[in-house]
Amino acid sequence: MSVRKVSVAAAGGSYDVVIGAGVLEALAAVPLAEGERAAVIADAGAWAKHGAAVLAACKQAHGREPPVFEVPAGEASKSWEQLERACAFLAEQRIARQDLLIACGGGMATDLGGFAAAAWMRGIRHVAIPTTLLAQVDAAVGGKTGINIAAGKNLVGSFHQPRLVIADVALLTTLPPREFSAGLAECVKHAVLDAGLYAHTREHSDEIAKGVDADPAVLAELVERNVAFKAAVVAADEREGGRRMLLNLGHTFAHALETVTGYGRYLHGEAVSLGLLAACRLAARLGLLTQDKLADELAELLQKFSLPVSWPEIDPEELLKTMSLDKKVAEGKLRFVLPEAAGEVSVVPGVDPAEVRATLKELA
Ligand SMILES: NC(=O)c1ccc[n+]([C@@H]2O[C@H](COP(=O)([O-])OP(=O)(O)OC[C@H]3O[C@@H](n4cnc5c(N)ncnc54)[C@H](O)[C@@H]3O)[C@@H](O)[C@H]2O)c1
Ligand SMILES: O=C(O)C(=O)C[C@@H](O)[C@H](O)[C@H](O)COP(=O)(O)O
Ligand SMILES: [Zn+2]
């Protein structure tokens, strides 16, 4: 299979996302000079499966194996506690300003590891080796890093672009089906934002729905198209002053759901699936939806990808309270990313909380 490359031209640094099967050797593109060292922050689950291959790539690229800090798998590790432990590890290893951090795992590890790189000595360079579909198509690209706190998802973090992202689709073969599906939710989100991706994803949905058993070339193309779409948005608006907010489609609902249910009941991608449907419903309530069939087509696609489409019974007031800390809130008012049709999505300011409440009641 060929090696695909997408460049991310962000203001905070430009870099390549290398995509393909068996492409870990791409790490050689970030060399270590005399006296420089690398250290790895890895998801323990991903490391158990792929740590040996990553260490071999490090040895090949840098001439030696780096020390490794394994973070317990799960969303709960995107925390102050694990950040503190990761920094203690960097201190113990005497990782200095010119050294390199390698973040390996799903979105938990690339968010936490990326944030450790952003914070350690006020910023060291890092490489991301995403091992879940979600991290390959979304989390490892674009430079958003951070942790969750009790008050909300990703409320503490930083924009810190990696020097290189290696999306090796061969690593996805060990991914549990539920995790694979979670990654597809972000692909569906991207598809709603881009008419070309919408057509492509629907056209290849039967093959994509096979998950890790899908044709690797189809998967590599899916990753490439999603990364290319996200890269263009990030290049235009790295720090989310405008256009990048669109990548938050479904996330005001999704993040509130994850926070209220305690970071674990729903995988992030599952919450995004429900958030996409909620955004469609809210858009319909507000009379914005012009593509009548969008909600039905979306529900069909999400279901085909084994993602949840039924909202649980959750107190709308609790969700609304949590949403008040959404990063898109401006002048104390909620802003939602809402679709009119596939490829026509905008940020809608000043949405009346009563409409959100009614939408949540309709969904429950
Ligand atoms: N920074 C961003 O732009 C961005 C974008 C989207 C999502 N996110 C964040 O990403 C996180 C979700 O990431 P995720 O869905 O990758 O979950 P995750 O990182 O928690 O990984 C999911 C599970 O898969 C396991 N795993 C990872 N790779 C594996 C492999 N190759 N084989 C077998 N098991 C493997 C892990 O051990 C874990 O149990 C959320 O915190 C979300 O907020 C960030
Ligand atoms: O990269 C972005 O921008 C996104 O919004 C991608 C989202 O899928 C991702 O979940 C992100 O972490 C959400 O960002 P946040 O700023 O709302 O925390
Ligand atoms: Zn997301």
Side-chain angles (χ1 to χ4, degrees):
M1 192 196 294
S2 59
V3 178
R4 301 155 191 256
K5 222 179 245 186
V6 176
S7 293
V8 186
S14 295
Y15 53 96
D16 286 334
V17 181
V18 178
I19 303 154
V23 293
L24 289 176
E25 64 197 30
L27 185 59
V30 182
L32 295 179
E34 183 77 26
E36 291 178 352
R37 287 174 313 126
V40 175
I41 292 184
D43 173 290
W47 199 252
K49 307 270 184 206
H50 303 293
V54 174
L55 283 179
C58 291
K59 184 125 200 246
Q60 194 185 10
H62 302 143
R64 58 190 170 277
E65 290 186 358
V68 182
F69 173 68
E70 290 185 43
V71 184
E75 184 68 23
S77 284
K78 247 176 75 172
S79 63
W80 287 118
E81 186 195 343
Q82 292 303 328
L83 179 68
E84 161 115 47
R85 291 187 63 222
C87 289
F89 158 77
L90 296 174
E92 201 179 281
Q93 295 300 329
R94 302 280 178 272
I95 292 300
R97 272 232 165 111
Q98 67 280 8
D99 291 337
L100 175 71
L101 192 154
I102 298 170
C104 177
M108 179 280 285
T110 56
D111 275 15
L112 176 75
F115 189 38
W120 182 249
M121 297 201 173
R122 300 201 187 93
I124 62 169
R125 62 199 169 123
H126 76 295
V127 166
I129 304 184
T131 63
T132 63
L133 177 65
L134 187 140
Q136 294 192 355
V137 298
D138 191 357
V141 179
K144 274 190 182 177
T145 70
I147 57 170
N148 308 321
I149 59 169
K153 276 274 293 182
N154 303 339
L155 284 181
V156 178
S158 172
F159 289 98
H160 189 62
Q161 300 293 344
R163 298 298 172 105
L164 172 72
V165 179
I166 306 175
D168 189 334
V169 295
L171 305 185
L172 302 181
T173 50
T174 54
L175 209 53
R178 189 176 165 201
E179 299 294 348
F180 191 93
S181 289
L184 290 177
E186 299 283 17
C187 296
V188 174
K189 176 195 77 179
H190 287 159
V192 178
L193 294 171
D194 181 90
L197 254 183
Y198 190 73
H200 178 87
T201 310
R202 277 164 52 86
E203 189 188 330
H204 295 276
S205 59
D206 286 342
E207 190 60 31
I208 294 168
K210 291 180 188 163
V212 297
D213 297 323
D215 177 351
V218 171
L219 285 186
E221 181 165 5
L222 183 74
V223 174
E224 183 184 18
R225 283 176 180 261
N226 277 275
V227 169
F229 171 72
K230 181 164 182 180
V233 176
V234 169
D237 175 25
E238 183 190 23
R239 292 197 164 231
E240 205 169 294
R243 186 163 157 61
R244 186 167 184 173
M245 271 186 241
L246 298 182
L247 297 179
N248 237 243
L249 174 63
H251 280 62
T252 308
F253 289 103
H255 281 171
L257 185 60
E258 287 180 87
T259 303
V260 164
T261 55
Y263 304 128
R265 174 164 159 199
Y266 290 97
L267 301 179
H268 176 68
E270 292 171 343
V272 169
S273 174
L274 294 169
L276 290 174
L277 294 171
C280 250
R281 190 69 75 94
L282 178 58
R285 265 196 86 78
L286 298 176
L288 297 172
L289 218 52
T290 54
Q291 186 180 337
D292 296 342
K293 290 198 183 121
L294 184 67
D296 288 345
E297 286 178 3
L298 212 55
E300 197 187 323
L301 194 59
L302 293 166
Q303 249 172 323
K304 191 173 196 174
F305 291 163
S306 305
L307 283 158
V309 292
S310 308
W311 266 76
E313 268 190 48
I314 290 197
D315 180 7
E317 298 313 318
E318 214 184 331
L319 287 167
L320 267 166
K321 197 172 130 211
T322 306
M323 283 178 195
S324 69
L325 270 174
D326 185 275
K327 294 179 216 72
K328 296 181 301 305
V329 166
E331 293 166 14
K333 298 217 170 85
L334 286 170
R335 286 190 289 182
F336 278 85
V337 183
L338 297 177
E340 289 160 40
E344 286 171 46
V345 179
S346 54
V347 180
V348 180
V351 176
D352 184 349
E355 298 290 357
V356 184
R357 193 174 288 116
T359 302
L360 290 168
K361 282 189 179 146
E362 259 175 49
L363 287 162

